[in-house]
């Protein structure tokens, strides 16, 4: 029987813990080096502390994005090796009872702390060594011995296989500060551009944003590349859900879902604008008809347009849109002119907000970009450049939408990398 491999896992986040468990289950002697003073800081924040474990979306494998053309195929392969069903079986075996909210899967307690506690308990049961406050400062492979040297501020470790699970640049206060990318570069890997994804977008129309700040409403958000005055630009993506308006821009899950594409376009130096539909339930014609009917109903009554609009829109938003269209909010509903109604319909259904940027790494949930997937083996996640080096989680150029997709990638990639590192 061959001697058990010594595996070091860099990072004790979601993918790192899963990689350590998978490697130990495959017979390796595993040590986890975590740069922070305690593990799982980012995991504790996921889903606003509720920990959306995964997603039951039947099209989940094709929901992942990558700058690399090979990304979709490779991510799908990894997700098939350790699937959603495998993930649920794994956590159920640990004793975690789950609850579904439509296609979203959470721990029944809706507390991420319980997920972290069970993962750490499993690692201890398997004999995984956990070492905290061990910030890695350098890695080097001794080719003649086929081993890796892993240097921290206070010690140098050596191992047969090294799994980098250091995270991206999203929420650097949790330890995900981008330092893992430099370790990968020192081993000969390249990087696609790292940009914020799943984040809020900054807008240029500060007057409107200030007037509507605090509004939340169900909306469709469409992102376009280009300038609206140049013929409309090209549609980058769209989504529907709760929109939140702030003094500096727009946010909410619906914005998070499309923000990646805006970040990439802005990163290329190209203009981006958002087209906001504040009333998806109505077509433009239906809204015009509704306004005419309300005008007829209130014709002989001194009721303002702004008041009537509160029947279909938040009052603060209605006032801001009227002012944006140069329509006096206090004008009686029965005296709203046809041209004013058309202007109002256009603002409600196709409000244009030029985007000046995305919120930075401190506010984004994940990043777009990372280690190109063409530089790793698509079945094992081992480096094609340095034998014995593996990657998992956000370090790779894979990201998904909100809703448990990114945690599922952490579980799947961590399990695959850890398993093969031990073999």
């Amino acid at each position: 029987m061959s001697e058990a491999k010594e595996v070091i896992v860099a990072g004790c986040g979601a993918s790192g813990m899963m990689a350590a468990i998978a490697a130990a289950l495959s017979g390796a002697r595993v040590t986890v080096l975590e740069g922070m003073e305690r593990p799982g800081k980012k995991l504790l924040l996921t889903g606003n502390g509720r920990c959306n474990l995964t997603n039951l979306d039947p099209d989940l494998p094709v929901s992942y994005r990558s700058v690399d053309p090979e990304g979709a195929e490779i991510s799908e392969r990894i997700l098939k090796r350790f699937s959603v069903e495998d993930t649920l079986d794994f956590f159920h075996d640990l004793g975690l009872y789950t609850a579904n909210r439509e296609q979203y899967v959470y721990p029944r307690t809706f507390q991420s702390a319980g997920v972290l506690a069970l993962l750490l308990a499993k690692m201890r049961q398997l004999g995984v060594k956990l070492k905290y406050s061990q910030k890695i400062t350098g890695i080097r492979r001794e080719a003649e011995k086929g081993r890796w040297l892993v240097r921290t501020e206070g010690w140098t470790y050596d191992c047969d296989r090294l799994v980098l699970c250091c995270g991206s640049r999203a929420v650097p206060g949790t330890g995900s500060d981008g330092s893992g990318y430099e370790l990968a570069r020192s081993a000969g890997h390249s990087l696609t551009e790292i940009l914020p994804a799943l984040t809020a977008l900054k807008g240029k129309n500060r007057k409107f944003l200030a007037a509507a700040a605090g509004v939340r409403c169900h909306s469709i958000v469409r992102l376009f590349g280009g300038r609206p005055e140049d013929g409309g630009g090209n549609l980058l993506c769209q989504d529907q859900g709760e929109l939140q308006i702030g003094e500096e821009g727009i946010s909410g899950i619906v914005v998070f879902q499309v923000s990646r594409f805006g970040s990439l376009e802005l990163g290329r130096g190209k203009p981006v604008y958002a087209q906001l539909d504040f009333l998806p339930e109505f077509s433009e014609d239906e809204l015009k008809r509704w306004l005419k009917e309300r005008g007829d109903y209130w014709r002989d009554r001194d009721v303002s347009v702004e008041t009537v609009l509160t029947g279909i829109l938040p009052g603060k938003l209605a006032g801001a849109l009227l002012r944006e269209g140069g329509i006096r909010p206090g004008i009686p509903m029965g005296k709203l002119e046809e041209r004013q109604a058309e202007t109002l319909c256009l603002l409600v259904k196709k409000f244009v907000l030029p985007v000046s940027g995305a919120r930075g790494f401190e506010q984004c949930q994940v990043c777009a970009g990372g280690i190109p997937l063409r530089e790793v083996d698509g079945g094992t996640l081992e480096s094609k450049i340095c034998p014995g080096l593996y990657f998992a989680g956000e370090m790779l150029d894979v990201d998904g939408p909100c809703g448990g997709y990114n945690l599922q990638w952490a579980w799947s990639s961590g399990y695959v990398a850890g398993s093969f590192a031990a073999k």
Side-chain angles (χ1 to χ4, degrees), residues 95-230:
L96 185 75
Y97 193 83
T98 55
N100 298 355
R101 293 293 181 268
E102 296 180 348
Q103 66 189 36
Y104 308 102
V105 182
Y106 297 87
R108 185 195 173 276
T109 60
F110 290 95
Q111 294 183 347
S112 54
V115 177
L116 175 60
L118 288 171
L119 287 168
L120 292 172
K122 184 63 178 178
M123 291 165 70
R124 287 192 293 268
Q125 181 198 53
L126 293 169
V128 173
K129 295 178 182 178
L130 304 174
K131 295 184 179 292
Y132 305 131
S133 299
Q134 294 292 302
K135 180 77 172 178
I136 297 175
T137 58
I139 60 174
R140 181 168 63 87
R141 184 171 184 268
E142 292 186 308
E144 65 280 2
K145 296 181 181 179
R147 288 176 69 80
W148 283 89
L149 297 179
V150 182
R151 187 173 65 255
T152 69
E153 293 173 348
W155 196 254
T156 298
Y157 300 84
D158 67 318
C159 60
D160 296 301
R161 308 284 169 80
L162 173 61
V163 188
L164 292 183
C165 305
C166 306
S168 60
R169 288 180 181 156
V171 200
T174 63
S176 180
D177 60 3
S179 58
Y181 295 135
E182 298 310 312
L183 298 178
R185 272 181 165 165
S186 72
H189 281 275
S190 63
L191 287 177
T192 62
E193 187 175 8
I194 313 300
L195 293 167
L198 300 189
T199 190
L201 295 174
K202 299 177 183 178
K204 292 183 179 179
N205 190 339
R206 293 301 178 86
K207 185 177 179 181
F208 168 79
L209 293 171
V215 166
R216 294 171 179 245
C217 64
H218 189 81
S219 306
I220 294 175
V221 177
R222 298 181 176 92
L223 272 194
F224 289 84
R227 295 181 176 86
E229 62 268 24
D230 294 338

Side-chain angles (χ1 to χ4, degrees), residues 1-44:
M1 181 180 293
S2 60
E3 188 177 346
K5 293 287 187 294
E6 291 181 288
V7 174
I8 286 180
V9 176
C12 199
S15 61
M17 286 186 280
M18 183 59 87
I21 290 169
L25 286 172
S26 296
R29 298 195 297 272
V30 183
T31 300
V32 177
L33 302 179
E34 167 58 46
M36 303 297 284
E37 71 282 358
R38 57 189 176 90
K41 280 192 171 184
K42 194 169 182 181
L43 178 64
L44 292 173

Side-chain angles (χ1 to χ4, degrees), residues 380-393:
T380 67
L381 297 181
E382 183 177 13
S383 167
K384 291 180 179 179
I385 297 170
C386 294
L389 178 63
Y390 294 76
F391 298 99

Side-chain angles (χ1 to χ4, degrees), residues 47-66:
N48 291 321
R50 300 191 307 163
C51 199
N52 187 180
L53 283 169
T54 187
N55 195 297
L56 302 177
D57 178 4
D59 295 324
L60 182 142
V62 298
S63 299
Y64 291 89
R65 307 127 174 189
S66 175

Side-chain angles (χ1 to χ4, degrees), residues 13 24 39 41 68-69 71 93 103 161 199 208 249 265 276 284 361 363 382 422:
K41 280 192 171 184
D68 196 320
D93 286 345
Q103 66 189 36
R161 308 284 169 80
T199 190
F208 168 79
E265 196 76 355
L276 310 177
E284 285 188 60
F361 295 115
Q363 286 82 31
E382 183 177 13

